[in-house]
Amino acid sequence: GDSVTQMEGPVTLSEEAFLTINCTYTATGYPSLFWYVQYPGEGLQLLLKATKADDKGSNKGFEATYRKETTSFHLEKGSVQVSDSAVYFCALGSGAGSYQLTFGKGTKLSVIP
Amino acid sequence: DVKVTQSSRYLVKRTGEKVFLECVQDMDHENMFWYRQDPGLGLRLIYFSYDVKMKEKGDIPEGYSVSREKKERFSLILESASTNQTSMYLCASSPGLVDEQFFGPGTRLTVL
Protein backbone atom coordinates (compact mmCIF):
# COMPACT_ATOMS: atom_id res chain seq x y z
CA GLY A 1 0.00 0.00 0.00
CA ASP A 2 0.85 3.67 -0.08
CA SER A 3 3.23 5.03 2.52
CA VAL A 4 5.11 8.21 3.37
CA THR A 5 8.34 8.37 5.33
CA GLN A 6 9.63 11.67 6.61
CA MET A 7 12.62 12.49 8.73
CA GLU A 8 12.13 12.17 12.43
CA GLY A 9 12.31 15.24 14.56
CA PRO A 10 12.46 17.31 16.45
CA VAL A 11 14.59 19.65 14.39
CA THR A 12 16.02 22.76 16.04
CA LEU A 13 17.54 25.52 13.93
CA SER A 14 18.77 29.03 14.51
CA GLU A 15 16.98 31.86 12.78
CA GLU A 16 18.12 32.36 9.14
CA ALA A 17 19.45 28.79 8.88
CA PHE A 18 18.69 26.58 5.87
CA LEU A 19 15.95 24.00 6.32
CA THR A 20 15.54 20.60 4.70
CA ILE A 21 12.93 18.09 5.79
CA ASN A 22 13.20 14.84 3.87
CA CYS A 23 10.16 13.00 2.57
CA THR A 24 10.07 9.81 0.51
CA TYR A 25 7.06 7.86 -0.61
CA THR A 26 5.85 4.53 -1.91
CA ALA A 27 2.85 4.52 -4.20
CA THR A 28 1.49 2.90 -7.30
CA GLY A 29 0.72 5.09 -10.26
CA TYR A 30 1.25 8.83 -10.22
CA PRO A 31 0.37 10.34 -6.86
CA SER A 32 -0.11 13.98 -5.96
CA LEU A 33 2.17 15.19 -3.17
CA PHE A 34 1.53 17.71 -0.42
CA TRP A 35 3.21 19.45 2.47
CA TYR A 36 1.00 20.55 5.34
CA VAL A 37 1.95 22.70 8.33
CA GLN A 38 0.40 22.67 11.80
CA TYR A 39 1.07 25.66 14.03
CA PRO A 40 0.67 25.18 17.79
CA GLY A 41 -2.95 24.73 18.81
CA GLU A 42 -4.26 24.74 15.26
CA GLY A 43 -5.37 22.34 12.55
CA LEU A 44 -3.34 21.51 9.44
CA GLN A 45 -2.95 23.99 6.60
CA LEU A 46 -1.78 23.20 3.10
CA LEU A 47 1.68 24.68 2.58
CA LEU A 48 2.35 23.55 -1.01
CA LYS A 49 1.59 20.78 -3.46
CA ALA A 50 2.75 19.16 -6.70
CA THR A 51 0.65 17.00 -8.95
CA LYS A 52 3.14 15.53 -11.42
CA ALA A 53 6.79 14.62 -11.75
CA ASP A 54 9.28 17.53 -11.83
CA ASP A 55 6.65 19.99 -10.59
CA LYS A 56 7.89 22.41 -7.96
CA GLY A 57 5.49 23.61 -5.30
CA SER A 58 6.29 26.82 -3.48
CA ASN A 59 4.73 29.07 -0.85
CA LYS A 60 5.95 31.47 1.85
CA GLY A 61 9.58 30.82 0.90
CA PHE A 62 9.20 27.03 1.14
CA GLU A 63 9.82 24.82 -1.88
CA ALA A 64 9.56 21.14 -2.74
CA THR A 65 10.18 19.35 -6.04
CA TYR A 66 8.38 16.14 -7.05
CA ARG A 67 11.18 13.70 -7.91
CA LYS A 68 9.77 10.51 -9.38
CA GLU A 69 13.18 8.91 -9.96
CA THR A 70 14.00 9.11 -6.24
CA THR A 71 10.36 8.99 -5.03
CA SER A 72 11.02 12.08 -2.94
CA PHE A 73 9.43 15.43 -2.11
CA HIS A 74 11.84 17.16 0.24
CA LEU A 75 10.82 20.46 1.83
CA GLU A 76 13.35 23.30 1.78
CA LYS A 77 13.56 26.90 2.91
CA GLY A 78 16.59 29.10 2.53
CA SER A 79 16.24 31.17 5.71
CA VAL A 80 13.89 30.11 8.49
CA GLN A 81 12.19 32.45 10.93
CA VAL A 82 10.94 31.94 14.48
CA SER A 83 7.40 32.07 13.07
CA ASP A 84 8.15 28.89 11.03
CA SER A 85 8.18 26.84 14.24
CA ALA A 86 5.51 24.20 13.66
CA VAL A 87 4.95 20.56 12.77
CA TYR A 88 5.31 19.72 9.08
CA PHE A 89 3.54 16.77 7.43
CA CYS A 90 4.27 15.24 4.06
CA ALA A 91 1.29 13.55 2.39
CA LEU A 92 0.35 11.80 -0.83
CA GLY A 93 -2.87 11.21 -2.69
CA SER A 94 -2.66 8.18 -4.90
CA GLY A 95 -5.69 8.79 -7.06
CA ALA A 96 -6.95 5.64 -8.77
CA GLY A 97 -10.37 6.17 -7.24
CA SER A 98 -9.07 6.87 -3.76
CA TYR A 99 -10.35 9.79 -1.71
CA GLN A 100 -7.74 9.43 0.98
CA LEU A 101 -4.47 11.16 1.67
CA THR A 102 -1.66 9.19 3.31
CA PHE A 103 0.29 11.25 5.83
CA GLY A 104 3.78 10.97 7.22
CA LYS A 105 4.20 11.11 10.99
CA GLY A 106 5.23 14.75 11.06
CA THR A 107 8.44 16.61 11.81
CA LYS A 108 8.49 19.20 14.56
CA LEU A 109 10.59 22.25 13.76
CA SER A 110 11.71 24.73 16.39
CA VAL A 111 13.49 27.91 15.30
CA ILE A 112 15.38 29.80 17.97
CA PRO A 113 16.37 33.48 17.75
CA ASP B 1 -12.69 32.54 3.36
CA VAL B 2 -13.19 28.80 3.36
CA LYS B 3 -13.83 27.28 6.71
CA VAL B 4 -14.14 24.01 8.58
CA THR B 5 -15.41 24.37 12.12
CA GLN B 6 -15.53 21.86 14.94
CA SER B 7 -18.00 22.04 17.79
CA SER B 8 -15.48 22.15 20.65
CA ARG B 9 -11.79 22.90 21.04
CA TYR B 10 -11.51 21.02 24.33
CA LEU B 11 -13.74 18.31 25.76
CA VAL B 12 -13.53 16.23 28.93
CA LYS B 13 -15.71 13.12 29.26
CA ARG B 14 -15.93 10.12 31.54
CA THR B 15 -15.37 6.49 30.60
CA GLY B 16 -18.53 4.94 29.20
CA GLU B 17 -20.14 8.21 28.11
CA LYS B 18 -21.46 8.66 24.58
CA VAL B 19 -19.55 11.46 22.88
CA PHE B 20 -20.50 13.49 19.80
CA LEU B 21 -17.97 15.52 17.87
CA GLU B 22 -19.40 17.69 15.15
CA CYS B 23 -17.82 19.20 12.08
CA VAL B 24 -19.29 21.72 9.65
CA GLN B 25 -17.83 22.96 6.35
CA ASP B 26 -19.07 25.90 4.30
CA MET B 27 -17.36 25.03 1.01
CA ASP B 28 -19.97 22.65 -0.46
CA HIS B 29 -17.35 19.89 -0.48
CA GLU B 30 -18.33 16.34 -1.35
CA ASN B 31 -15.85 14.59 0.93
CA MET B 32 -15.38 14.81 4.67
CA PHE B 33 -12.93 13.02 6.94
CA TRP B 34 -12.27 12.32 10.61
CA TYR B 35 -8.70 11.73 11.84
CA ARG B 36 -7.13 11.28 15.19
CA GLN B 37 -3.68 12.66 15.88
CA ASP B 38 -1.40 11.14 18.50
CA PRO B 39 2.27 11.89 19.29
CA GLY B 40 4.60 9.65 17.30
CA LEU B 41 1.75 8.20 15.23
CA GLY B 42 0.85 11.16 13.06
CA LEU B 43 -2.65 11.34 11.57
CA ARG B 44 -4.74 8.21 11.30
CA LEU B 45 -7.98 8.10 9.35
CA ILE B 46 -11.01 6.95 11.33
CA TYR B 47 -13.85 7.34 8.80
CA PHE B 48 -14.62 9.33 5.71
CA SER B 49 -17.72 10.19 3.71
CA TYR B 50 -17.90 10.91 -0.01
CA ASP B 51 -21.59 11.84 -0.09
CA VAL B 52 -24.56 12.41 2.15
CA LYS B 53 -25.45 9.24 4.06
CA MET B 54 -22.38 7.47 2.63
CA LYS B 55 -19.46 6.44 4.79
CA GLU B 56 -16.34 4.33 4.53
CA LYS B 57 -14.11 2.94 7.24
CA GLY B 58 -10.61 4.27 7.49
CA ASP B 59 -7.64 2.68 9.17
CA ILE B 60 -8.90 2.71 12.78
CA PRO B 61 -12.73 2.64 12.86
CA GLU B 62 -13.10 0.42 15.93
CA GLY B 63 -14.98 2.14 18.73
CA TYR B 64 -16.27 4.92 16.48
CA SER B 65 -19.24 5.57 14.24
CA VAL B 66 -20.17 8.51 12.01
CA SER B 67 -23.22 10.24 10.65
CA ARG B 68 -23.67 12.48 7.62
CA GLU B 69 -27.27 13.56 7.21
CA LYS B 70 -26.46 16.85 5.48
CA LYS B 71 -23.69 17.67 3.04
CA GLU B 72 -22.08 20.28 5.26
CA ARG B 73 -22.09 18.32 8.52
CA PHE B 74 -20.15 15.21 9.55
CA SER B 75 -20.40 13.83 13.07
CA LEU B 76 -18.08 11.44 14.87
CA ILE B 77 -19.62 9.35 17.63
CA LEU B 78 -17.87 7.49 20.40
CA GLU B 79 -20.53 5.03 21.55
CA SER B 80 -18.84 4.32 24.89
CA ALA B 81 -15.77 6.44 25.46
CA SER B 82 -12.64 4.78 26.78
CA THR B 83 -9.39 6.24 28.07
CA ASN B 84 -7.49 5.07 24.98
CA GLN B 85 -9.65 7.40 22.92
CA THR B 86 -8.05 10.41 24.57
CA SER B 87 -6.60 12.23 21.57
CA MET B 88 -6.75 15.19 19.22
CA TYR B 89 -9.53 14.76 16.66
CA LEU B 90 -9.28 16.57 13.33
CA CYS B 91 -12.01 16.99 10.77
CA ALA B 92 -11.27 17.77 7.12
CA SER B 93 -13.11 18.24 3.84
CA SER B 94 -12.14 18.14 0.18
CA PRO B 95 -13.94 18.88 -3.10
CA GLY B 96 -13.02 15.71 -4.99
CA LEU B 97 -10.62 12.88 -5.55
CA VAL B 98 -7.04 13.38 -4.37
CA ASP B 99 -7.62 17.03 -3.70
CA GLU B 100 -6.26 19.26 -1.04
CA GLN B 101 -8.00 18.67 2.28
CA PHE B 102 -9.08 21.60 4.43
CA PHE B 103 -8.80 21.03 8.15
CA GLY B 104 -10.68 22.29 11.16
CA PRO B 105 -8.87 23.49 14.31
CA GLY B 106 -9.24 20.17 16.10
CA THR B 107 -10.93 18.94 19.28
CA ARG B 108 -8.73 17.78 22.11
CA LEU B 109 -10.72 15.07 23.87
CA THR B 110 -9.77 13.76 27.28
CA VAL B 111 -11.53 10.67 28.62
CA LEU B 112 -11.16 10.17 32.37
Side-chain angles (χ1 to χ4, degrees), chain B residues 4 7 9-10 23 40 59 61 69 75 78 95 97 108:
Chain B
V4 178
S7 50
R9 293 298 301 271
Y10 300 93
C23 175
D59 300 318
E69 297 295 320
S75 300
L78 287 66
L97 285 176
R108 184 166 294 282

Side-chain angles (χ1 to χ4, degrees), chain B residues 25-38:
Chain B
Q25 51 98 0
D26 66 0
M27 297 167 280
D28 200 36
H29 284 170
E30 302 295 327
N31 309 314
M32 296 187 75
F33 306 82
W34 275 106
Y35 296 88
R36 63 177 282 176
Q37 182 180 13
D38 300 288

